[in-house]
């Protein structure tokens, strides 16, 4: 028993989480003699693979968790799991460690996760001549059955006593009859003697007649006795038949009692399983409440940070407007000075073009940058004599896309000039296709650019005026998306890299559905019907192969577009959303996905039941609570790795990193999700801004920071 020095892996796993059919115990005796070793034989099924820390324990019948084992032995791993011979295994328990009482026990196979994979029939440790019937019933039923059995036994005893009495009477009558017959024979002999004497003595005739009369009386009495004996025998046979019927009825009642005992045992096990299931559900509800409380706290912190950042953004916009106006004034003054300088040089008789240095004019790019850009447009290049330095279309578009990725706030100020410049670059159908491909690749390869990419596609579809035989920008974009859409089933079942690209396409298509607008002839803005057909098919492809990353992508897509899709489908009388969530419920019940993914799907179901978290807020400054905000427990912050891969609390591979980032945000509110300190030194762009601030703007900025810090402390 040296193997049992180390405690086996156990858990509080209840009966509803066990799989008793994966390991089958063979040749289990009803009784094991105390003082001897016990060998346990078991068979591994095809669907079960043993592991190093699996063990077999002896449990007292009625156990609830795997921690209640009496003793255990480690199982030996077979050399070839697929071989039929290695599936038949055995383990021996030494007599010293076996129970000494006569309680009922059973073998249980427990894997290294503490989950029971198989259980044997109950057995006892007692001598072989002891009773081997396990009776499980209620005390009331036992008393009622015992009372009925005692009544039957009493009635049976009475019949036996009556039968014995009748048999005794019969024997007495037989003895009396024998006695009478002997007397009759005696009388006959006497009669013969008397007849002889009558012959001899006439005087004895009268006495002979008397003897004859007496003989006749005895004969009649004998006949009566025979009739009485026949009646007693008939009565005895009748009572014997009744006794047999009572014995048969007693046996039927005994069998009925055994059947009731078995039914009671099944009901007791079912009741125990229901109780364990209810306990598990209560624990799950408590865990969900704790997670919801944590999410609520985090949501409030993010709301406060969002408010502060919005206020800071408005202040920066004001500063930007001031700097733009000042820049325009300086440019105007610069133009006036240049004209005055030209006039003075003409007056002095000098040629302006002969000077070794010329101030760049607005036409040459020196002051011709867009007035809407605070620090100039980094993408407007001046034409040089050497055309080798002039960027290509791919470089120009990629630089602009990278700029939007790093500074999405510049979209409103720079998109117009970008759109107006594109026709000068895109002069062929191939260039037009290249433009669409560059935007598509940026939107699907950078996780946090899908929304900005959809906004960019929407703007270009309405403002980009390029005549092409291939079609408009919108048509080329939809053709590119259709190429990925047609291989959706193969992509959902492909390898990890293929599925990752497919997930990026799915989320980008969701953003296009929300942001790519279609304007009718009367100016009405609607969403494309083609996406309403494509998105359900993409969801079906994801749910048809329910691996973890496919299910996560489906949840993100439904959180993104679910409320809008359901409203549209309800208006048109469609039940597509009901069918999708029915499939999700089937996945939760049947799919072999992780526990975290199932919890994510359950949260999605709750989100839909709460009308996708949409409520009518009566007060802007009311604190969110579980009572007034249905979305209180649904929002989870999303972080990104250095490679741009998003992860949440449901991703088991990043749980430690996720918790670290949450704690870091609690202590450092200005810390971004990618790990960059917004207020730290080392960013030359921010350092230049601080150095170039005039005293008035710097004073306003410091006041704003103090107010923000004071509000966070409150």
């Amino acid at each position: 028993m040296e193997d049992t020095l180390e405690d086996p892996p156990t858990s509080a796993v209840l009966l509803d989480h066990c799989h008793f059919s994966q390991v089958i115990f063979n040749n289990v005796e009803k009784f094991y003699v105390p003082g001897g070793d016990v060998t346990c034989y078991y068979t591994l099924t095809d669907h079960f693979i043993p592991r190093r820390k699996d063990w077999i324990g002896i449990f007292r019948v009625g156990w609830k968790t795997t921690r209640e084992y009496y003793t255990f032995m480690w199982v030996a791993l077979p050399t070839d799991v697929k071989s039929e011979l290695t599936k038949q295994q055995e383990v021996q328990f030494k007599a010293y460690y076996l129970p000494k009482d006569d309680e009922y026990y059973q073998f249980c196979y427990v894997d290294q996760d503490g989950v029971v994979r198989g259980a044997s029939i109950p057995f006892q440790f007692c001598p072989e001549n002891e009773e081997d019937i396990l009776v499980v019933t209620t005390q009331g039923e036992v008393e009622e059955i015992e009372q009925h059995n005692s009544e039957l036994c009493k009635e049976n005893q009475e019949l036996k006593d009556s039968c014995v009495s009748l048999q005794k009477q019969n024997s007495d009558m037989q003895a009396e009859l024998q006695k009478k017959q002997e007397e009759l024979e005696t009388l006959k002999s006497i009669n013969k003697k008397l007849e002889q004497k009558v012959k001899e003595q006439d005087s004895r005739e009268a006495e002979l007649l008397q003897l004859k009369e007496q003989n006749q009386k005895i004969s009649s009495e004998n006949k009566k006795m025979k009739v009485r004996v026949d009646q007693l025998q008939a009565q005895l046979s009748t009572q014997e038949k009744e006794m047999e019927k009572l014995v048969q009825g007693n046996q039927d009642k005994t069998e009925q009692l055994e059947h009731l005992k078995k039914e009671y045992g099944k009901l007791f096990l079912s009741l125990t399983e229901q109780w364990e299931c209810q306990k598990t559900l209560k624990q799950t509800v408590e865990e969900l409440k704790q997670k919801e409380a944590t999410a609520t706290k985090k949501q409030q912190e993010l709301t406060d940070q969002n408010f502060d950042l919005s206020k800071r953004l408005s202040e920066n916009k004001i500063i930007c407007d001031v700097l733009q106006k000042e820049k325009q004034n300086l440019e105007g003054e610069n133009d006036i000075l240049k004209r005055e300088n030209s006039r003075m040089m003409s007056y002095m008789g000098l040629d302006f073009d002969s000077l070794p240095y010329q101030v760049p004019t607005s036409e040459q790019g020196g002051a011709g940058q867009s007035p809407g850009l605070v620090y100039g447009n980094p993408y407007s290049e001046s034409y040089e004599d050497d055309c080798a330095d002039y960027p290509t279309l791919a470089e120009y578009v990629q630089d602009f896309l990278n700029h939007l990725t790093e500074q999405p706030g510049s979209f409103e100020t720079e998109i117009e000039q970008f759109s107006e410049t594109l026709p000068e670059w895109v002069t062929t159908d191939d260039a037009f296709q290249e433009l669409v491909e560059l935007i598509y690749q940026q939107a699907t390869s950078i996780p946090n650019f899908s929304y900005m990419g959809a906004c960019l596609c929407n703007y270009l579809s309405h403002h980009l005026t390029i005549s092409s035989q291939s079609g408009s920008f919108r048509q080329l974009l939809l053709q590119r998306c259709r190429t990925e859409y047609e291989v959706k089933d193969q992509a959902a079942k492909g390898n990890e890299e293929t599925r990752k690209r497919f997930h990026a396409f799915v989320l980008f298509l969701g953003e296009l559905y929300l942001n790519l607008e279609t304007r009718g002839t009367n100016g009405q803005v609607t969403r494309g019907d083609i996406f309403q057909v494509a998105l359900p098919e993409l969801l079906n492809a994801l749910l048809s192969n329910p691996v973890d990353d496919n299910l996560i992508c489906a949840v993100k897509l439904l959180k993104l577009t679910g409320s809008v899709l359901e409203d549209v489908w309800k208006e048109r009388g469609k039940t597509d959303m009901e069918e999708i969530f029915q499939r999700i419920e089937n996945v939760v019940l049947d799919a072999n996905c992780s526990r975290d993914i199932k919890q994510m799907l359950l949260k999605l179901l709750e989100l839909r039941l709460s009308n996708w978290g949409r409520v009518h807020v009566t007060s802007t400054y009311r604190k969110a609570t579980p009572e007034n905000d249905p979305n209180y427990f649904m929002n989870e912050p999303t972080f990104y790795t250095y490679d741009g891969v998003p992860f949440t609390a449901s991703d088991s591979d990043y749980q430690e990193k996720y918790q670290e980032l949450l704690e870091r945000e609690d202590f450092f509110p200005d810390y971004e999700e990618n790990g960059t300190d917004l207020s730290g030194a080392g960013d030359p762009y921010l350092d230049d801004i601080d150095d170039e601030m005039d005293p008035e703007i710097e004073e306003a900025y410091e006041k704003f920071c103090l107010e923000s810090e004071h509000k966070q402390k409150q």
Side-chain angles (χ1 to χ4, degrees), residues 335-347:
D335 291 337
I336 294 172
L337 290 174
K338 285 189 289 185
R339 289 194 296 270
E340 183 67 20
N341 188 24
S342 298
R343 186 180 65 81
M344 292 296 296
M345 293 181 69
S346 298
Y347 177 78

Side-chain angles (χ1 to χ4, degrees), residues 330-533:
L330 292 175
E331 288 176 351
E333 293 177 359
N334 189 23
D335 291 337
I336 294 172
L337 290 174
K338 285 189 289 185
R339 289 194 296 270
E340 183 67 20
N341 188 24
S342 298
R343 186 180 65 81
M344 292 296 296
M345 293 181 69
S346 298
Y347 177 78
M348 295 172 62
L350 298 175
D351 187 4
F352 181 76
D353 295 332
S354 63
L355 294 177
Y357 171 77
Q358 295 181 4
V359 179
T361 62
S362 59
E363 289 79 6
Q364 293 174 323
Q369 297 173 350
S370 175
L373 303 178
V374 179
Y375 301 102
N377 186 358
Y379 311 105
S380 63
E381 300 287 345
S382 62
Y383 286 97
E384 301 291 342
D385 294 336
D386 188 4
C387 295
D389 296 335
Y390 198 75
T392 63
L393 171 64
E395 294 173 345
Y396 173 68
V397 174
Q398 191 63 51
D399 287 345
F400 181 73
L401 295 177
N402 293 337
H403 176 68
L404 286 183
T405 303
E406 297 174 357
Q407 301 181 22
S410 62
F411 177 82
E412 297 292 338
T413 58
E414 300 182 13
I415 184 60
E416 182 177 358
Q417 181 179 356
F418 177 72
S419 175
E420 293 175 354
T421 309
L422 278 179
E424 301 177 2
W425 294 85
V426 181
T427 57
T428 63
D429 291 346
D430 293 338
F432 206 1
Q433 293 278 2
E434 184 181 6
L435 171 64
V436 173
E437 183 65 23
L438 288 170
I439 296 175
Y440 175 83
Q441 291 297 334
Q442 185 80 0
T444 56
S445 60
I446 306 300
N448 56 352
F449 191 74
S450 57
Y451 167 73
M452 185 58 64
C455 294
L456 178 61
C457 291
N458 179 57
Y459 187 91
L460 295 180
S461 65
H462 294 297
H463 298 85
L464 186 60
T465 56
I466 297 177
S467 59
S468 173
Q469 295 180 356
S470 303
S472 63
F473 177 84
R474 181 188 181 91
Q475 292 172 341
L476 293 178
L477 177 64
L478 294 179
Q479 290 176 5
R480 180 64 182 86
C481 293
R482 175 175 288 277
T483 303
E484 297 292 333
Y485 173 79
E486 291 176 350
V487 295
K488 59 183 181 300
D489 295 327
Q490 295 87 339
K493 299 177 182 178
N495 55 28
E496 184 177 358
E497 187 64 27
T498 303
R499 293 199 306 270
K500 184 178 179 181
R501 291 196 301 269
F502 177 62
H503 298 160
F505 162 70
V506 171
L507 296 178
F508 178 55
L509 206 66
E511 294 288 359
L512 286 178
Y513 172 64
L514 297 178
N515 296 282
L516 190 59
E517 300 173 345
T518 302
R519 295 179 182 176
T521 56
N522 56 354
Q524 183 180 3
V525 178
T526 59
R527 294 186 174 90
D529 292 338
I530 187 172
F531 296 112
Q532 298 176 14
V533 178

